[in-house]
Amino acid sequence: MIAVRQIGCAIAVLGMLGGCVTTQSGPTYSVSTGKPTAAADDKLAATLKPGAKPALNTDDAGLRMMYDKAEGKFKTSGNVVRDPEINRYVSGLVCKVAGPYCADIRVYVIRAPYFNATMGPNGAMQVWTGLLLRTRNEAQLMAVLGHEIGHYLRQHSLERMRTAVNTSNALAFFQLATAGAGVGIVGAMGSLVALAQLTAYSRDQEREADRFGHLFLVKHGYDPREAARIWGQLIEEQDAEKEEGEEEETRSVFLASHPLPDERRDTLWELADEVEVREKLTKINEEVYNAVFLPHRRMFLRDELNLRRFARFETLLEMLIEDGKQVAELHYFRGELYRLRNDVGDVERAEKEYELAVEAGDPPGEIHRSMGQIHQKLGKMDAAKGAFQRYLKAKPNAEDVDIIRHIIGKLS
Amino acid sequence: MTAQILARLAFLCVCFLAAGCQTYSLVQPARVTVGDKLSIEPDIAWNKRSIENAEIWTVDGEALQALHLYKGLEDGDTLFVLTNSEKQEKMPQYSKTMSLLELREFIEASIVQSGFTNLKSLKFKPTKFADKDGFRFEFTFSNTNGLRELGFAAGAQSGDRLYLVLYRGAKLHYYGKYLKNVEDMIRSVQLAWASAIL
Ligand SMILES: [Zn+2]
């Protein structure tokens, strides 16, 4: 929360220095070559030059400095995923999209179970693990990366700040910086959210970024329909949540101020349909994507379960089970979902899911502990004891073996 | 930019700076009662403030280390009370029928629902708490600024209540700084009606 406070003040000060600025209408540059290009002929024209460093006394430099400060904080934090393979893969994709701007962008994979990605005007990009759990192939991830890079290339944050300062909406804008603070004893995601909230883009900017995401997919030979599918998947989750009345205020900044998911999905479908060579664009690189992320999916799923957004999680699991990759762990987590939700009939549902997980082969070792708990609930004490013993065998070095032995002792 | 907006921005800044302030009182190293049943004997002085169902103690500030002493959770109580009512609604509720494994899940889910991330369970053991059969488990998580914290919860169910002490602090320095004091203090916990001590 300290970070939030500082960002808030930094913006206030920046706003005071801001003075009069004109909206941007300068030269444009090709995203392929980095050379000047005519915006009218180049749909992917950037408004900033590769490697550009704004003069220190400009509002652009001030804005970047603020983000540099926040980046300095979060890049050393425990929330950054350090796995070298994940980082190499995501950075590689970013460079593929960003071309001559590659060196200007730093991407951080953040362990946070929400569908979110952010882009700072200083080139600091975040991709959250909740997003990586939901994108299903390389094309979908590319669509998101392309979207974020679009924000960067078109300097949307700067544009946004200038609009805010010029229209004396400054207060509302600056308050965004503090919106993540002060939730009970701990706050929301602290500086991460504060930072992301600064990039609350306008709807038109979002539409422009979506178009960039789409054009990048086409440019690199990916199936552009995958961009629309991401939104279709999210809509399914949201609908399930609404039906259950579990809807909470959308914590995902990626969604908050954005055009409605339906609109985005439909527009992206239309864009994809208009592509002349679409039949040739079939690349989705699902295998490459899965090779990088499936080994880590259990951790992503655990984080998601911990949020206890049961309706959403159930829908997500159903989609992933349909995909058919490593289904044992998916059935295990669906069992966990039912066990923790504990509605009428959930104990039996959980039991069935655990059985499916065991049938599928190689489920997480924790499944035996969960089965023990379920048997205990159903009054099957011998079965419970057996399951806990299997847990000890499967996870002899688990952090809770002492308590499990204690529980077995009580069951005897 | 009008002068009015500038003034309001400056005011906002002042608010941010003041927001962290809480009123604390001093706890002297002597046996004290928290709620109606739990008593404990600190060996150093702490700063304390009271919330609805607990007292929060700290030496260096809650952001660096905090000890939550619960007065005894009852059915339907939540571990933390959030100001955001929507988030509060999602807070898991204590139930006296919870098993040891479910108690851990309850505490962990409460930590995650409070906005902490990267939670990882560490050692979980049966242990005495006061004279009751209790438990103790350790965990680690990232706080809202992404810094690593360590923590543990120790407690026992007695009657229909859960008596619990939760200690957490920055992994760098501040958790360890008073860990031994906290451990000693927890060994001093007694569960008895205040009148029975007199
Ligand atoms: Zn966007």
Side-chain angles (χ1 to χ4, degrees), chain A residues 67 104-106 117-126 145 147-153 157 195-196 199 201:
Chain A
Y67 274 82
D104 301 340
I105 297 174
R106 299 162 303 288
T118 71
M119 184 80 221
N122 64 339
M125 181 176 184
Q126 295 186 3
L145 299 177
H147 171 104
E148 296 303 326
I149 290 168
H151 281 310
Y152 175 76
L153 296 174
S157 298
L195 178 68
T199 59
Y201 302 114

Side-chain angles (χ1 to χ4, degrees), chain A residues 242-255:
Chain A
K242 270 182 219 152
E243 233 165 76
E244 287 293 310
E246 274 183 15
E247 201 180 8
E248 57 183 303
E249 114 268 21
T250 315
R251 274 192 258 189
S252 167
V253 179
F254 191 71
L255 300 173

Side-chain angles (χ1 to χ4, degrees), chain A residues 125-142:
Chain A
M125 181 176 184
Q126 295 186 3
V127 178
W128 292 17
T129 50
L131 186 144
L132 295 171
L133 176 62
R134 289 172 168 83
T135 46
R136 313 270 274 282
N137 53 50
E138 192 170 287
Q140 294 195 357
L141 178 55
M142 281 292 265

Side-chain angles (χ1 to χ4, degrees), chain B residues 105-144:
Chain B
E105 286 170 349
F106 161 68
I107 294 167
E108 287 183 342
S110 304
I111 292 170
V112 172
Q113 291 298 336
S114 304
F116 292 115
T117 54
N118 288 7
L119 179 74
K120 191 174 182 318
S121 299
L122 304 172
K123 271 259 161 289
F124 184 17
K125 290 183 190 180
T127 176
K128 287 278 176 202
F129 185 82
D131 55 345
K132 306 272 182 276
D133 284 334
F135 62 88
R136 178 198 154 105
F137 81 88
E138 297 168 15
F139 47 84
T140 173
F141 57 83
S142 300
N143 71 15
T144 54

